[in-house]
Amino acid sequence: MSLRSWVESELWDENYFDPSRLSDGVEVFRSGLSHPLVTSLIDGCHGTPEWDREPSETFTDALFRALRGLVGRYGASWIYITDPDNALSVFQWEKEIDPNYFNSYRLIEFEKNPAEEGGASFLCIAFHDKEGIVVIESESSLKITLHGTATRMDAMLDALRIKRPTETTKG
């Protein structure tokens, strides 16, 4: 089963992308957003990431460095989904990730191809073994949520050096 088939059959609820069907998510970041996105720099709409970073490292670089090992070990693809006018979810594209070039560049998709007529956009890192997915959601806030089996959730939280929440996961 391809990742697109997996997402559309297992992580879709009626007409909407719903990664909580894999597990209750663990939100690791949330920040306000202004539109156009560059105004967020002026407005200072930022949150504080939950993951560790090295002193000379940005939080964005730290996120991708921390997940790079899992992307290399399990294989992963970028998946982009939009909810035009929040009326339904549309699977836009899938692109395999080369772990040697795994970085924040794909985040530009939120600016280049936002959901038509407003609505949410989801840029996801989906692991090829279908055990986990990192969901980066852009709408009125930017959220990063981890979903996965108990084992994969542990691996993602360990990679990010985030303490275990009290929430439980399915699987």
Side-chain angles (χ1 to χ4, degrees):
M1 179 186 301
S2 75
L3 282 178
R4 180 179 183 146
S5 297
W6 172 66
V7 168
E8 290 180 333
S9 66
E10 301 297 323
L11 305 182
W12 223 260
D13 183 18
E14 304 265 334
N15 295 320
Y16 291 96
F17 173 60
D18 182 8
S20 69
R21 293 181 62 153
L22 178 59
S23 74
D24 298 333
V26 175
E27 186 176 296
V28 295
F29 180 74
R30 180 186 292 258
S31 172
L33 281 180
S34 299
H35 293 281
L37 289 178
V38 74
T39 61
S40 292
L41 295 173
I42 298 165
D43 296 340
C45 301
H46 63 281
T48 303
E50 298 286 323
W51 55 88
D52 283 343
R53 68 180 171 110
E54 300 299 321
S56 62
E57 192 174 41
T58 67
F59 280 110
T60 303
D61 289 342
L63 173 70
F64 287 90
R65 177 193 42 78
L67 294 174
R68 185 173 287 116
L70 295 174
V71 168
R73 186 174 313 126
Y74 300 109
S77 291
W78 289 108
I79 292 174
Y80 192 59
I81 298 165
T82 60
D83 287 357
D85 200 25
N86 286 329
L88 61 109
S89 293
V90 177
F91 192 105
Q92 298 291 333
W93 54 260
E94 173 184 343
K95 179 168 177 52
E96 188 166 351
I97 298 170
D98 180 338
N100 296 316
Y101 299 100
F102 179 60
N103 59 45
S104 62
Y105 177 75
R106 286 278 169 210
L107 296 174
I108 198 166
E109 198 67 25
F110 291 124
E111 294 177 69
K112 288 175 43 180
N113 297 303
E116 292 180 20
E117 300 178 24
S121 298
F122 306 90
L123 182 63
C124 306
I125 302 161
F127 293 101
H128 290 163
D129 63 3
K130 303 171 183 82
E131 296 287 312
I133 189 167
V134 177
V135 179
I136 307 168
E137 178 181 350
S138 174
E139 191 176 17
S140 60
S141 64
L142 181 73
K143 293 190 314 187
I144 302 174
T145 308
L146 311 175
H147 297 272
T149 62
T151 303
R152 183 56 47 82
M153 189 66 76
D154 285 345
M156 290 186 291
L157 292 169
D158 283 346
L160 293 167
R161 290 187 248 154
I162 295 176
K163 293 179 186 171
R164 305 294 183 281
T166 57
E167 304 167 13
T168 59
T169 59
K170 300 172 190 168

